[in-house]
Amino acid sequence: MAVILDALVQFCQMLVVLVLAPLLVGYVRKVKALLLGRQGPPLVQPYRDLLRLLRKEVVLAHTASWVFRVAPYIVFATTWAAAALVPTFATGLLFSYAADMIAIVALLGSARFMLALAGLDVGTSFGGIGSSREMMIASLAEPAMLMVVFTLSLIAGSTQLSSIAAFMQGPGVGLRVSLALALVALVMVALAENARIPIDNPATHLELTMVHEAMILEYSGRHLALIEAASFVKLLLYVSVIACIFTPWGIAASGQGFAAYLAGLAAYGVKLAAAGFLLAVFETAIAKMRVFRVSDFLGAALMLGLLATLLLFVSRVT
């Protein structure tokens, strides 16, 4: 009976990340529009966009191979799998043993590789530009992400998110400079990985500035819907990781009961609302940087992650 309950809770978590991801994007767009003095689109507009794309016919280029056709399914599946592993409202679930930060980074890297390969497959100039820029960003974002993972593993003694969340809820954490540096580095990586301002503007289609949009210009129909859904889930994934590690309050432990799960779900909704509001305010208050400065931005994230790790080493040695 306990195994069935854990399986149901794990299935609910998979549905939660899939259902709430478009709502988070719609919420961020709505808040940005209100801050700019506009009415903005409704909160459910991302759901409508996905349904509209699913109804449309798929148009394929003559030069597209099987890689171009398979890539959207792989990108969506790997991103959804990575997001489903992150504890959102409960820890210690059925697949918690696989909720490892290094495994999540590997899944996201696989999705990025397939998307960049699909951008190169058709042979257009825009796809090549977007793929090359995506790989340049990934070459700096992934090491910074791994340095954050190393910092958290040194503090909590594990790279599993459930163990990290349980440790961060304990009384022995305290205020640490290394955690603050890791948080800033993780936020910078999240902005770069999700093509948000100041790295990229998800609302623009200027050929000389776009990164993510350049790789998916040739997609249409259900293929484009899967890629857009994967981008929504990816944003929710990073918000969930930050909330799980640095604000683990309210997350229910396995076996606490239905009421604890509902309370954890409510706390998770509050965290998503707060993160979406902060993201909208940040993107409204700052401008997009030039592509040539992206390396400086991510280099600073890498240095912050490295500094956080070195501070832990020095504190342990002394």
Side-chain angles (χ1 to χ4, degrees):
M1 199 66 185
V3 177
I4 297 176
L5 180 61
D6 290 342
L8 288 176
V9 175
Q10 181 69 65
F11 180 71
C12 290
Q13 176 160 300
M14 296 176 65
L15 288 182
V16 162
V17 297
L18 187 61
V19 171
L20 292 184
L23 184 62
L24 176 62
V25 175
Y27 173 71
V28 173
R29 293 175 181 173
K30 187 69 173 181
V31 174
K32 288 177 65 175
L34 293 177
L35 291 175
L36 294 173
R38 298 184 286 107
Q39 182 178 358
L43 292 176
V44 296
Q45 188 61 43
Y47 298 100
R48 296 176 180 175
D49 294 338
L50 293 177
L51 291 176
R52 174 175 53 84
L53 290 173
L54 288 174
R55 296 193 192 103
K56 286 192 172 183
E57 182 183 357
V58 175
V59 179
L60 294 174
H62 295 291
T63 56
S65 67
W66 63 271
V67 175
F68 188 82
R69 298 179 179 90
V70 172
Y73 300 97
I74 297 179
V75 170
F76 176 75
T78 53
T79 306
W80 187 18
L85 294 177
V86 179
T88 55
F89 62 91
T91 59
L93 299 181
L94 190 62
F95 296 150
S96 61
Y97 67 91
D100 191 276
M101 285 290 292
I102 298 178
I104 292 174
V105 173
L107 288 172
L108 293 177
S110 300
R112 182 189 300 108
F113 169 76
M114 288 303 301
L115 189 59
L117 197 62
L120 293 171
D121 184 70
V122 182
T124 60
S125 58
F126 290 155
I129 291 174
S131 298
S132 63
R133 289 176 178 176
E134 181 72 12
M135 289 298 100
M136 183 269 292
I137 293 173
S139 64
L140 295 172
E142 287 186 358
M145 183 70 176
L146 289 176
M147 293 309 302
V148 174
V149 173
F150 294 156
T151 302
L152 296 173
S153 64
L154 288 174
I155 294 175
S158 175
T159 56
Q160 281 192 346
L161 284 173
S162 296
S163 301
I164 295 174
F167 179 81
M168 296 295 286
Q169 286 179 316
V173 180
L175 296 176
R176 304 193 184 193
V177 178
S178 56
L179 282 177
L181 296 177
L183 173 60
V184 175
L186 184 57
V187 170
M188 296 171 72
V189 171
L191 293 174
E193 291 277 20
N194 289 280
R196 309 297 301 192
I197 296 176
I199 302 300
D200 192 13
N201 188 355
T204 187
H205 284 82
L206 297 176
E207 292 84 355
L208 296 178
T209 59
M210 57 186 176
V211 179
H212 179 266
E213 293 292 331
M215 294 185 292
I216 63 175
L217 278 179
E218 299 298 324
Y219 278 110
S220 61
R222 65 178 182 274
H223 292 163
L224 184 58
L226 288 172
I227 293 178
E228 290 293 336
S231 66
F232 297 162
V233 173
K234 189 176 182 180
L235 177 61
L236 183 76
L237 184 153
Y238 274 94
V239 173
S240 301
V241 168
I242 295 173
C244 172
I245 296 173
F246 297 99
T247 57
W249 311 295
I251 300 180
S254 178
Q256 284 189 345
F258 186 71
Y261 289 145
L262 285 180
L265 188 59
Y268 180 62
V270 173
K271 295 173 187 178
L272 288 182
F277 180 79
L278 293 176
L279 178 60
V281 172
F282 177 79
E283 290 190 339
T284 306
I286 198 170
K288 180 184 177 301
M289 65 175 58
R290 298 176 62 189
V291 178
F292 303 105
R293 296 187 58 190
V294 173
S295 58
D296 299 334
F297 182 85
L298 291 175
L302 177 60
M303 289 299 102
L304 288 175
L306 179 61
L307 184 59
T309 306
L310 291 177
L311 284 175
L312 286 176
F313 273 120
V314 171
S315 63
R316 291 195 174 189
V317 170
T318 57

